[in-house]
Amino acid sequence: MTDDTGERVTRRRFLRTGAGVAAAGVAATGSAAAQEDGGGGSTEITVGPGGSNVFDPETAYVEPGGTVKWVWDSGGHNVAVESTPDGAEWTGHEPIEDAGFEYEHTFETEGTYEYVCTPHASVGMTGVVEVTTDPPEEPQGYQSILPNSAKTLGVAAVGSMTSVLGLTYFFMRYGGDYGEGDHE
């Protein structure tokens, strides 16, 4: 089989080209996701993961201008503010919500924001948002700056490209619907 320039198309050349295309697609997906973030970073906190009475992570780090999203994994929880830095305007989300609810806030003022789940404060359901330009190295520093939708899109794109490459290889290897004289 030959390409448009008359050169022979080998499996190795085909797969090398396909791998390059797949890598470019993954890089483009990551760049688009990073541009979408808009600065300041973002993180997601799971409220009551698996029915437990905790915020996961208990301490989240974001830069000034960063957004924190709380996602309820179980019901009967809220986010009630205990303390904020001077000049900060954050009121939390006091109504009790059920699984699937989401609440987010963008933090502009540097400092420590402490909050609790009112119904479960007595069993230690507390959380902290640290808004800082200098997060600690351990344990994690800033949490996920890449939205889950971008990660899913990247995985789907790579899967799609791999499928196309696999089918193309199969047809190149084993043939297809060629008329007489159309193949070598």
Side-chain angles (χ1 to χ4, degrees):
M1 181 184 307
T2 58
D3 64 9
D4 291 342
T5 65
E7 290 186 41
R8 181 164 167 73
V9 177
T10 64
R11 284 185 295 241
R12 182 171 289 147
R13 184 173 162 214
F14 172 77
L15 292 174
R16 196 175 317 138
T17 302
V21 170
V26 170
T29 301
S31 295
Q35 290 174 357
E36 180 181 295
D37 181 40
S42 65
T43 191
E44 185 172 292
I45 297 173
T46 304
V47 180
S52 61
N53 292 326
V54 297
F55 294 102
D56 185 27
E58 185 177 334
T59 302
Y61 296 92
V62 293
E63 293 178 316
T67 300
V68 175
K69 182 194 306 186
W70 286 265
V71 178
W72 274 244
D73 191 52
S74 60
H77 304 291
N78 68 353
V79 176
V81 177
E82 289 280 290
S83 68
T84 63
D86 289 338
E89 296 182 15
W90 181 48
T91 58
H93 185 81
E94 297 225 10
I96 306 296
E97 300 294 351
D98 291 325
F101 182 79
E102 294 182 1
Y103 160 72
E104 66 180 44
H105 180 77
T106 300
F107 292 87
E108 301 293 342
T109 305
E110 280 192 62
T112 301
Y113 297 76
E114 297 176 335
Y115 60 94
V116 300
C117 170
T118 306
H120 304 111
S122 64
V123 294
M125 190 168 180
T126 62
V128 176
V129 174
E130 289 285 346
V131 180
T132 178
T133 57
D134 187 28
E137 296 285 328
E138 295 292 329
Q140 306 179 21
Y142 294 117
Q143 278 83 38
S144 178
I145 60 170
L146 189 62
N148 287 336
S149 58
K151 293 175 193 173
T152 303
L153 179 62
V155 169
V158 170
S160 297
M161 285 186 268
T162 303
S163 297
V164 169
L165 288 172
L167 285 171
T168 304
Y169 173 77
F170 177 81
F171 285 119
M172 286 178 66
R173 173 86 171 133
Y174 300 106
D177 289 339
Y178 298 113
E180 294 296 319
D182 284 347
H183 56 87
E184 296 177 357

